[in-house]
């Protein structure tokens, strides 16, 4: 499948630095637990926490939305739980993309049941056109209208996560 570059390494690095600086300022003096949602977030999260100048602890959960290919199926199942108690803690959930909003709106409620002190969401990409569930991330690196994007953790049928840039797949 043909692809076209959307965000270069330099654009990504610059924007991740900016967002990391904002998060660091917002959480100065607090103890942050960063929760990455597997698999897509792992590259973004690694860059983000290294660009922050506050200490943090990390954990991971995995949310699977069922169906292969380019559509998320609208049904979320948690296939890996976090291993940290988040009660009374400040939590930052890190995701690669908000698309229909289904995954994150489910996930946030799922985590809130454990009574964290605060819970915010940082998404690398916010894809707005296909939103089905009203959901706004607190921190966003890039907003895009539509298009299927890969690279920097994002996959197409498990391929292309390793690419250091973000590409948009061209329709055949
Ligand atoms: C992707 C992405 C989000 C979700 C966003 O996950 O990482 O979790 O879809 O889509 P939504 O807003 O429509 O719910 P995916 O299920 O593809 O898993 P992955 O992170 O392992 O690639």
């Amino acid at each position: 499948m043909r692809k076209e570059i959307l965000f270069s390494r330099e654009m990504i690095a610059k924007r991740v630095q900016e967002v990391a600086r904002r998060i660091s300022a917002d959480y100065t003096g607090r103890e942050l637990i960063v929760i990455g949602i597997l698999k897509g977030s792992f590259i973004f999260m690694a860059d983000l926490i290294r660009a922050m100048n506050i200490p943090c602890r990390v954990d991971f959960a995995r949310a699977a939305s069922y169906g292969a290919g380019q559509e998320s199926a609208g049904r979320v199942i948690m296939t890996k739980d976090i291993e940290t108690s988040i009660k009374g803690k400040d939590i930052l959930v890190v995701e690669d993309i908000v698309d229909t909003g289904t995954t994150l709106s489910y996930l946030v409620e799922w985590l809130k049941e454990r009574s964290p002190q605060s819970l915010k969401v940082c998404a690398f990409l916010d894809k707005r056109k296909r939103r089905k569930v009203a959901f706004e991330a607190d921190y966003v690196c890039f907003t895009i209208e539509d298009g299927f994007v890969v690279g920097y953790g994002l996959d197409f049928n498990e391929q292309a996560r390793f690419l250091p840039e973000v590409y948009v797949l061209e329709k055949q």
Side-chain angles (χ1 to χ4, degrees), residues 37-40 62-65 72 95-103 155 158 161:
I37 309 307
L38 297 170
K39 301 176 194 173
R62 171 133 172 78
S65 63
S72 108
E95 257 288 24
D96 54 345
I97 188 165
V98 191
D99 187 359
T100 63
T102 309
T103 306
D155 75 309
E158 293 303 326
R161 290 193 201 273

Side-chain angles (χ1 to χ4, degrees), residues 37-42 62-67 69-76 94-105 107 127 130-133 135 148 153-156 158 161:
I37 309 307
L38 297 170
K39 301 176 194 173
S41 71
F42 76 110
R62 171 133 172 78
S65 63
Y66 277 87
Q70 301 193 3
E71 293 291 321
S72 108
R75 194 165 60 96
V76 182
V94 175
E95 257 288 24
D96 54 345
I97 188 165
V98 191
D99 187 359
T100 63
T102 309
T103 306
L104 272 165
S105 48
L107 234 155
K127 184 156 92 174
R130 300 188 329 138
R131 197 72 106 250
K132 287 182 188 151
V133 183
F135 183 86
F148 197 87
L154 291 138
D155 75 309
F156 174 62
E158 293 303 326
R161 290 193 201 273

Side-chain angles (χ1 to χ4, degrees), residues 51-115:
M52 290 171 8
N53 58 20
I54 52 165
C56 67
R57 286 193 272 161
V58 300
D59 206 336
F60 295 92
R62 171 133 172 78
S65 63
Y66 277 87
Q70 301 193 3
E71 293 291 321
S72 108
R75 194 165 60 96
V76 182
I77 295 177
M78 301 309 300
T79 56
K80 185 208 173 302
D81 201 346
I82 51 171
E83 294 162 11
T84 313
S85 168
I86 62 169
K87 190 169 183 197
K89 307 287 187 192
D90 290 316
I91 305 304
L92 182 69
V93 173
V94 175
E95 257 288 24
D96 54 345
I97 188 165
V98 191
D99 187 359
T100 63
T102 309
T103 306
L104 272 165
S105 48
Y106 179 88
L107 234 155
V108 163
E109 292 312 310
W110 182 75
L111 288 170
K112 277 186 177 169
E113 279 174 20
R114 298 175 194 193
S115 310

Side-chain angles (χ1 to χ4, degrees), residues 5 7-14 164-166:
I5 195 157
F7 302 122
S8 67
R9 295 178 198 215
E10 292 75 21
M11 289 165 81
I12 294 169
K14 183 168 176 281
E165 305 85 10
V166 171

